[in-house]
Amino acid sequence: MKGLLPSPLMDLAERVVTENTAAGRRIVLAESCTGGLVCAAITEIPGSSDVLDRGFVTYSNDAKIESLGVSAELIDTFGAVSPAVAWAMARGALKHSDADVAVAITGVAGPGGGTESKPVGTVVFACALRGQSENDITAEQKNFDPTLSRAEIRQEATMAALELLLP
């Protein structure tokens, strides 16, 4: 390990910092199931203050509503783990920051909390760029292996989020 986190995660975080610094981009995170791991990985890298504007850990639905402006109706209709909510989280993170790019993560890390339609390992990501049309904000659901541990699912989700932050 190079730092607090496993080497593959640290290597990818270093790329995120280096490539976003070169591109002159600032980033913001809206994290739920990763609980700040993406920000933790980025801030392990020297020079991260040139890139990371801020991070929101919005673990509860109330936090998503209060900190990011996600509508309660959206959560009630689609559930907290949904492309619609991830989309709204990314949009809210951009709105409440000075960043150029936002990535949002919401999911079910387990071992409990899964349902038939959203089993353990279901994680939804959204990426938004400042100035783009809201219709162009992308959201994608990934289904990680439900037999992975909670820590492994969170680590895989963190890696996927870091990939989305590469210019």
Side-chain angles (χ1 to χ4, degrees):
M1 282 188 2
K2 291 182 178 180
L4 290 173
L5 302 166
S7 291
L9 229 157
M10 297 306 303
D11 292 343
L12 187 53
E14 187 170 18
R15 278 189 60 205
V16 167
V17 170
T18 300
E19 293 181 24
N20 280 286
T21 298
R25 290 191 340 168
R26 306 260 305 147
I27 60 178
V28 61
L29 280 301
E31 299 185 63
S32 186
C33 67
T34 49
L37 281 175
V38 182
C39 284
I42 291 168
T43 58
E44 276 291 294
I45 307 303
S48 59
S49 59
D50 293 334
V51 172
L52 181 64
D53 179 66
R54 67 193 74 192
F56 297 92
V57 177
T58 55
Y59 206 73
S60 70
N61 290 342
D62 285 343
K64 290 171 182 66
I65 293 164
E66 293 167 14
S67 298
L68 299 173
V70 176
S71 80
E73 293 79 18
L74 201 63
I75 293 171
D76 290 342
T77 302
F78 298 102
V81 179
S82 65
V85 169
W87 179 92
M89 289 171 65
R91 185 183 67 177
L94 270 185
K95 181 179 179 184
H96 297 287
S97 74
D98 294 322
D100 304 299
V101 61
V103 167
I105 309 107
T106 182
V108 184
T115 65
E116 190 173 317
S117 62
K118 296 175 188 174
V120 169
T122 303
V123 182
V124 184
F125 303 86
C127 185
L129 301 173
R130 185 162 308 282
Q132 82 179 141
S133 164
E134 289 186 348
N135 295 332
D136 293 329
I137 296 174
T138 58
E140 175 187 9
Q141 179 174 310
K142 292 186 182 257
N143 295 304
F144 297 106
D145 182 348
T147 65
L148 293 174
S149 70
R150 177 179 180 81
E152 289 167 324
I153 290 170
R154 293 177 72 221
Q155 184 175 323
E156 290 295 321
T158 299
M159 293 288 288
L162 287 168
E163 289 280 349
L164 288 173
L165 288 167
L166 293 170

